[in-house]
Amino acid sequence: SGLFFGRGEARSRTLIFGEGSDCMTTMSVPTGEGAEGRLSRPPSSLTSAVLPESLASTSFSAAPHQVAGHLFERGKVGSLVCDSGYFYKPLQKGSRGVRERAFYEQLSASSMLGDGLPEDDASTSEEEGAPTISLRNLAPFVPRFYGTLELGGITYMKLEDLSRQYKNPCIIDVKIGYQTWYPSATQSHIDKCKVKDLATTQSKLGFKICGMQVYDRPTDRLVRADKDWCKLLDCDSVVGPLQRFLNPPSSQDLSARDLCFGEGGLLGKLEDLEQYFERQRGHQFFSSSLLVVYEGGAVQTTDLNLQLKLIDFAHAITVTNARDENFLNGLKSFKSFLLDFVV
């Protein structure tokens, strides 16, 4: 994944390293002016590309809060943000990019024009006889899509910048599902995914943390766990990072219960998404992630402004009248896992 972040204040970013949730150590990595170029500046071929006249004065920069997916500092083509408030995710090559773009375009068309179906479709599922649900009902859970942009020979999807509104964005990327490969993939891809799934919590818990960032109030820094550290988490050690993420850092009056059960809380949003997946029969989402964002500087529940979004659709496939059991079961497991230590 890697679809979520945007611009923020230029401050030190801290990376968490360690072998488990109880033995974290930290290493400060400077970001912002000067140091930013050493960490995550996009190639000059992107920032100096010839733009349409309407974008000639637009300033692009590497997304500063990205914790998963393709990153410039890892030698990949990473995501960009601009001063107009948009997030630009590079499309992957081949069928992956085709699928992701097609899904966003289908969802966008369904949301804006309607897909010919009422919110509760008149058709019924074969196994339950219950009304299915329209794709446009998923729109509130997906970042808004504004088309594509060609920049430096790369096609970017133009999306809403979800983190722009936050001063201290706490962010977690959680890949959902007990398997990350889709049935029609090549055998080599399936074998590769099986190895990865077995090596992490994916195949055991139905989810894995791909990356996270929290606000550390004493140092006024954003603390980040990268994907290499997250890969070390097992079924026991994953609890610590989740507890740390779910406990707002800026007020002793706020707790994980407030974040999960308060007005607009995480558990209510997860339940709404679960209800959608109980009824939808048109797509299956392999290797998609949940993105949770909230304001780390919040001092009361109304300041949290928590968002839950579904991201990463390179392996989303269209099906006919089939429930997405893999994603649904992973989602239920994630919700249940949170309940175990929040309640």
Side-chain angles (χ1 to χ4, degrees), residues 190-230:
I190 292 175
D191 292 342
K192 182 179 179 180
C193 288
K194 284 183 176 180
V195 171
K196 290 183 177 180
D197 294 350
L198 287 170
T200 66
T201 59
Q202 197 81 58
S203 63
K204 304 174 186 69
L205 298 178
F207 67 88
K208 75 173 179 181
I209 300 176
C210 296
M212 61 179 281
Q213 173 176 287
V214 296
Y215 173 57
D216 184 58
R217 185 183 183 185
T219 61
D220 191 31
R221 288 181 174 177
L222 295 171
V223 180
R224 173 177 145 190
D226 68 10
K227 67 179 184 179
D228 290 334
W229 184 84
C230 291

Side-chain angles (χ1 to χ4, degrees), residues 13 19 46 52 80 88 92 96-97 129 142 149 170 180 221 229 261 264 268 273 278 281 305 311 322 327 337 343:
R13 177 184 300 164
E19 297 181 357
L46 299 183
L80 303 171
Y88 297 87
Q92 297 184 58
R96 297 182 182 187
V142 178
L149 172 69
C170 292
T180 57
R221 288 181 174 177
W229 184 84
F261 294 105
L273 186 61
E278 288 278 7
R281 301 291 188 274
N305 190 20
I311 61 172
F327 187 93
F337 198 86
V343 175

